[in-house]
Amino acid sequence: MSRRKKGSKEAFIYDNNLKEEFESAERIKSDLWEMLNKIEHLYGERAENSRSLAQGLLVSILEDAELSKIIHSARYRVKDTNSLKVKIVKKLGQLSVYECDDYDKEKYRSIDENNYYKIITDLIGVRIIIRYREQWSKVDKWITEHFLNNSSYYIKNYIRDYKSDPGIPFIVETPKVYYRSDQDKVFYEHVKENSYSMIESKSGYNSVHYIINKDGKYIEIQVRTIYDEAWSECTHDIVYKNKKLKRSNEIDYISRCLSQQTIAAETMVNYMYELVNGTNIIYRDLLNRDKKEEHKGYSDITHITEKINIEKRMDLLSQNKQETFSGNIDDLI
């Protein structure tokens, strides 16, 4: 095998396992490699300013008196150049030679060195990790107080509507909730109904995403619990990066099983938190709401409560009856 020159197209394709994707992307943009090199140069010039912007946002989050009480950890990252180039190749590689009606895909067709930062909105990212799902509402309140959330400001065309000097920082699109269980969906809808794009995650991913425009740059803010983060980090390192391995289907299946384990663990912790704080958002307020809607039939929260069966177990404990756990997580669900 001939040696691949470092920095060459061949080395880039080989190191990132992009042979098929690169060939498909070149059908869309014949000058793909030249474009990627131009983007790499220009992106490097913007990197320091992007880091300063992310650091400033992170400091303002951590210095907030209310948030500092509930945030487990927070960090920022600026997408590295190689990841940016890989993302562009993959997005172009997913396109057909014929245009479709899906704008989220089609917006990449016209990408080049002059507009890539208008189209790709996760070049800068801030991730906020909370301990309990209920604490998300406080983070959401801070974000919507500091960044204008008005649908009239939402970006419809990422090139045409881009604002290099937005003045007041604003939320770019409807925040997205990626949920992995009915329990999580009911929680978010109950706390703030009809304010988010609800996206069911078959893989087990669970997170809330906000995209803001601050000083003409897009920043993606992710909010998730420590359980969401633990599963996501493991999955990214083991599953996402090894999609082309021969045993990828087996790894993917185990990852979904791990997601179910995480749901069970987080459910118990959140319920403990609600009992201690006297809030019981899911198990009190939603159950009361369901009683008023019995005529609608078997409700989501009734199904969830029966599935988790925590209240029954709490009753057993209050009656001093012995309750044992076999060690099999399925016995808890």
Side-chain angles (χ1 to χ4, degrees):
M1 183 182 297
S2 60
R3 293 184 61 186
R4 299 173 181 83
K5 184 179 178 181
K6 184 177 180 180
S8 68
K9 179 172 78 171
E10 292 74 19
F12 171 75
I13 294 172
Y14 178 81
D15 292 343
N16 295 286
N17 199 10
L18 287 173
K19 186 175 186 301
E20 294 178 5
E21 289 92 338
F22 202 95
E23 290 176 355
S24 297
E26 276 192 314
R27 297 190 188 102
I28 306 299
K29 284 196 174 290
S30 58
D31 61 343
L32 177 60
W33 183 242
E34 290 77 11
M35 182 192 72
L36 291 175
N37 284 328
K38 291 177 183 177
I39 288 176
E40 180 175 10
H41 173 71
L42 293 170
Y43 185 60
E45 294 180 345
R46 296 166 58 96
E48 187 57 39
N49 184 261
S50 296
R51 278 190 287 270
S52 298
L53 187 65
Q55 289 170 358
L57 176 58
L58 187 64
V59 168
S60 64
I61 290 171
L62 295 175
E63 285 184 342
D64 183 87
E66 287 298 315
L67 293 188
S68 64
K69 298 175 184 177
I70 65 169
I71 291 179
H72 174 268
S73 59
R75 64 181 186 273
Y76 79 91
R77 70 104 180 94
V78 175
K79 189 182 287 292
D80 66 73
T81 306
N82 186 71
S83 296
L84 171 58
K85 291 161 64 177
V86 168
K87 179 168 185 171
I88 292 172
V89 171
K90 289 184 175 181
K91 292 296 185 181
L92 287 172
Q94 292 171 2
L95 294 175
S96 166
V97 292
Y98 304 105
E99 293 188 20
C100 68
D101 295 330
D102 189 343
Y103 178 70
D104 284 341
K105 289 183 178 180
E106 285 297 323
K107 65 183 179 182
Y108 289 95
R109 191 179 294 274
S110 60
I111 196 168
D112 60 28
E113 66 274 14
N114 299 309
N115 62 26
Y116 72 93
Y117 58 89
K118 302 176 183 179
I119 295 171
I120 300 177
T121 56
D122 66 344
L123 296 177
I124 306 172
V126 171
R127 184 172 298 167
I128 301 172
I129 310 300
I130 53 179
R131 293 175 176 82
Y132 313 105
R133 186 146 334 267
E134 187 181 276
Q135 295 172 330
W136 157 78
S137 59
K138 294 182 179 179
V139 180
D140 177 83
K141 182 175 182 290
W142 186 92
I143 292 174
T144 53
E145 285 179 349
H146 287 75
F147 303 99
L148 178 65
N149 187 21
N150 187 319
S151 59
S152 65
Y153 278 72
Y154 288 172
I155 299 296
K156 296 177 178 60
N157 182 301
Y158 276 81
I159 296 176
R160 184 192 65 212
D161 300 340
Y162 170 76
K163 293 179 176 60
S164 60
D165 184 14
I168 181 172
F170 67 97
I171 295 177
V172 169
E173 63 180 21
T174 305
K176 294 183 174 68
V177 172
Y178 296 89
Y179 68 92
R180 62 189 175 194
S181 70
D182 289 339
Q183 175 191 342
D184 294 327
K185 181 183 180 183
V186 170
F187 169 79
Y188 287 115
E189 289 179 336
H190 177 65
V191 174
K192 207 166 185 180
E193 194 171 6
N194 300 323
S195 298
Y196 301 88
S197 294
M198 305 297 295
I199 304 170
E200 184 177 5
S201 170
K202 299 295 185 182
S203 66
Y205 183 72
N206 205 94
S207 187
V208 184
H209 291 190
Y210 306 79
I211 298 175
I212 64 166
N213 183 325
K214 181 175 172 59
D215 298 342
K217 287 185 170 62
Y218 292 126
I219 303 176
E220 182 181 68
I221 302 175
Q222 299 178 354
V223 185
R224 60 183 68 159
T225 69
I226 53 177
Y227 291 92
D228 300 332
E229 176 73 351
W231 178 88
S232 181
E233 286 292 291
C234 293
T235 299
H236 184 268
D237 288 344
I238 298 174
V239 181
Y240 178 75
K241 292 183 178 180
N242 296 289
K243 279 292 184 183
K244 295 186 178 180
L245 291 181
K246 291 182 179 179
R247 303 186 70 177
S248 62
N249 289 338
E250 183 179 351
I251 294 172
D252 190 57
Y253 173 74
I254 296 172
S255 174
R256 292 197 301 272
C257 292
L258 178 61
S259 175
Q260 293 301 313
Q261 308 272 29
T262 307
I263 291 171
E266 184 177 41
T267 295
M268 289 184 283
V269 169
N270 284 334
Y271 191 60
M272 290 164 61
Y273 174 83
E274 291 171 357
L275 288 174
V276 170
N277 289 276
T279 53
N280 295 327
I281 285 181
I282 293 179
Y283 296 94
R284 185 194 62 199
D285 294 346
L286 288 181
L287 282 172
N288 288 339
R289 186 188 72 178
D290 284 344
K291 289 177 182 177
K292 298 176 183 178
E293 300 179 356
E294 286 181 352
H295 63 280
K296 292 184 179 181
Y298 197 57
S299 67
D300 286 340
I301 192 62
T302 302
H303 170 71
I304 292 166
T305 307
E306 289 186 2
K307 182 178 180 181
I308 298 170
N309 212 12
I310 290 181
E311 286 196 335
K312 179 179 178 182
R313 293 178 181 275
M314 295 300 291
D315 288 340
L316 289 172
L317 289 172
S318 65
Q319 297 169 27
N320 294 321
K321 294 183 179 180
Q322 187 175 8
E323 173 71 4
T324 60
F325 174 39
S326 66
N328 183 350
I329 199 69
D330 290 336
D331 291 342
L332 286 176
I333 301 179

